[in-house]
Amino acid sequence: MAAVAAAVDREADRLTELDAAIGDADHGSNLKRGFAAVATALDAEPPSTPGAVLTAAGRQLISTVGGASGPLYGTLLRRTGKTLGDAAEVDAAGFGAALRAGVAAVAQLGGAAPGDKTMLDALVPGSEAVDASFAAALAAADAGARATVPLRARKGRASYLGERSVGHEDPGARSSVLLFAALVEVAA
Ligand code: ADP
Ligand code: MG
């Protein structure tokens, strides 16, 4: 979560630029504020298990971020954390399964599917590749985010633009890539 907060902080301007093209130019600032609050909360009261870290992080995001991405990423982290349960250690297979449960919860909450030009276009391929390696997940998520460029948005604020949403990368798909990049960074 600290690595995600740092990555979001570094990339906030880029995320906001993407959101300026097809949204309301707040995705970078939303996530920067949200993950900074997550990092602060986890530092103040470090949870004792991986699942509890993710559950606390998700709760913090939901209460800090007003935009669509707050509840969506909050749900991702919370459901992933709850699926991990109170295990003291998590193996690769358990993590992959929990992450896919988290991604499924995002799809359910937002009513979106891959191809709708949302964060799911990176989260779904990334979480499906994560059992192979974090690097494979990062590559798959990045490819998924890039593939949102020619899509027409069917969910979220960008969908109001209709045809004019074509030709821009989805900001939430790009920010999702940062989650996988943080996994690669920390594992290394
Ligand atoms: P807002 O749209 O409220 O300004 P943000 O700018 O922080 O919130 O986040 C926008 C991102 O949220 C989009 O780029 C998209 O990836 C994601 N998003 C929006 N609606 C949905 C949805 N229904 N399902 C999945 N992701 C969504
Ligand atoms: Mg926005």
Side-chain angles (χ1 to χ4, degrees):
M1 286 299 104
V4 172
V8 163
D9 190 72
R10 271 194 314 268
E11 299 293 325
D13 289 350
R14 180 182 181 196
L15 296 176
T16 285
E17 272 168 38
L18 293 174
D19 198 32
I22 59 170
D24 57 352
D26 65 355
H27 190 56
S29 50
N30 279 344
L31 291 190
K32 189 169 159 171
R33 191 172 66 252
F35 279 100
V38 165
T40 303
L42 294 177
D43 274 345
E45 233 174 298
S48 56
T49 64
V53 167
L54 295 178
T55 306
R59 202 183 319 119
Q60 188 66 46
L61 270 189
I62 290 169
S63 64
T64 311
V65 179
S69 60
L72 291 164
Y73 277 130
T75 295
L76 172 70
L77 299 180
R78 254 168 44 121
R79 182 64 63 89
T80 303
K82 279 190 197 297
T83 307
L84 291 176
D86 54 12
E89 286 185 14
V90 173
D91 63 14
F95 178 71
L99 185 61
R100 287 187 288 276
V103 172
V106 173
Q108 193 184 19
L109 176 65
D116 287 344
K117 196 177 181 107
T118 71
M119 57 177 67
L120 288 167
D121 285 301
L123 290 175
V124 168
S127 64
E128 283 172 355
V130 80
D131 290 351
S133 68
F134 290 156
L138 172 59
D142 185 65
R146 287 173 198 275
T148 64
V149 173
L151 297 178
R152 175 182 171 151
R154 286 195 289 251
K155 290 287 171 190
R157 210 176 275 281
S159 66
Y160 308 154
L161 290 181
E163 223 25 71
R164 281 187 292 138
S165 65
V166 171
H168 304 277
E169 188 173 67
D170 179 64
R174 180 47 52 191
S175 60
S176 290
V177 177
L178 300 179
L179 302 183
F180 292 101
L183 285 174
V184 170
E185 184 189 320
V186 171

